[in-house]
Amino acid sequence: MKKPAAKNRLNPGGSYWIWYALPAIFFYVLFMAFPLLDSIRMSLYTGTTNNFTFVGLDNFTRLFTDPDLFARYWGSMKNTVVFFIVHMLVQNVLGIVFAVLITQKNMKGSKLYQTIIFIPTTFAVLVTGYLWKLLLNPVWSKNALASIGLEALAKPWLGNEKYALLFVAFVSCWQWIGIPTMMFAAALQNISDDIYEAADIAGANKWQVFWHIKLPLIKPTVGIVTILTFVNNFNAFDIVFAMENVNGAPGYATDLLGTFFYRIGIAGQHPIGIPDPGMGAAIASITFVILMVGSLFVMKLTEAKE
């Protein structure tokens, strides 16, 4: 007599796993997918909340043909790209450096350094922005800087159109550097010791080990961190709001896509102050396409090779 097939202990319920995924799927559709699709739909309309009129692609056309509107959009786009590049060159590069240092076997106090690096991440962005705004104000910092011989640095950096965006980006990097550091550290710790032993036998120095072993093996993590940085920077709003204002002062020098979207779609552009949800949705839809294409490109570029 043929015995019945034994049930798979790892999956005793067959396809019943879908019931465990349903809550997550429900909340994802409700709070992510639906708002996204509704935003795309709204970009085809114009008017106030109670009086929408279908205009097709008119919002997109107006965004790129209206001189004043396009000037502000293009300016915020360039500032956002600079904001992202600064994070890649400062936050993520230093994150890799810190991760390599704290994962060294002969590194003493690595847990303490990890804590110190990660602590700023736990601060509220508005609190961080306000505190750094005070520190960068020469009225508050002049005496402290003079006491250590750095009085020349007591300048109104946040009021200078040339440097304001860089200082806002540096503050953001300081706050969030703990996340890429911890991700890179976790990836480095997963590399087998056998690989390092083989490299040591081959006579590889520390730089060669990093460049030819560590960096290639953490490539997928580099891709994930790049995508997270890309998405977060192109949606950045709160740090500019805390350190400057929603108009991207001074002279729109710190205006990002997030602040531009807020002024157009939610608060209303000065001086009239009437929000245009349709135009705001059009800006958000274009940003979504940019993020989707950029994320797919980075995923393809950093995918693990067999």
Side-chain angles (χ1 to χ4, degrees), residues 22-142:
L22 279 179
I25 295 174
F26 171 77
F27 285 108
Y28 176 81
V29 171
L30 182 63
F31 294 108
M32 296 292 292
F34 175 74
L36 173 63
L37 295 175
D38 192 58
S39 177
I40 296 175
R41 179 194 65 82
M42 189 181 296
S43 68
L44 305 177
Y45 290 80
T46 189
T48 60
T49 305
N50 298 322
N51 186 24
F52 280 121
T53 303
F54 181 79
V55 293
L57 300 177
D58 183 64
N59 287 323
F60 297 93
T61 303
R62 187 157 57 92
L63 178 62
F64 291 101
T65 57
D66 186 301
D68 295 332
L69 196 59
F70 180 71
R72 292 280 65 81
Y73 175 73
W74 182 242
S76 65
M77 175 64 76
K78 290 190 293 184
N79 290 338
T80 304
V81 171
V82 172
F83 193 73
F84 167 67
I85 292 174
V86 171
H87 279 75
M88 288 298 297
L89 296 179
V90 177
Q91 173 187 281
N92 294 346
V93 171
L94 286 179
I96 292 178
V97 173
F98 291 157
V100 171
L101 292 176
I102 63 180
T103 54
Q104 295 290 330
K105 289 185 176 180
N106 58 351
M107 181 69 175
K108 296 182 179 180
S110 60
K111 297 296 183 182
L112 174 62
Y113 293 130
Q114 289 181 39
T115 302
I116 293 173
I117 293 171
F118 195 78
I119 280 178
T121 306
T122 64
F123 299 160
V125 178
L126 293 178
V127 173
T128 299
Y130 183 72
L131 289 176
W132 275 100
K133 184 177 182 179
L134 294 178
L135 292 173
L136 292 171
N137 188 331
V139 175
W140 292 84
S141 61
K142 185 176 181 179

Side-chain angles (χ1 to χ4, degrees), residues 271-284:
I272 301 175
I274 301 176
D276 188 345
M279 181 59 70
I283 296 169

Side-chain angles (χ1 to χ4, degrees), residues 105 187-206 208-218 305:
K105 289 185 176 180
L188 289 169
Q189 289 172 344
N190 285 330
I191 300 177
S192 174
D193 290 337
D194 295 338
I195 299 177
Y196 295 138
E197 292 175 2
D200 186 54
I201 294 173
N205 56 39
K206 290 184 177 180
Q208 290 172 327
V209 170
F210 169 76
W211 190 255
H212 297 289
I213 296 177
K214 292 182 177 180
L215 192 57
L217 290 177
I218 66 170
K305 303 294 183 182

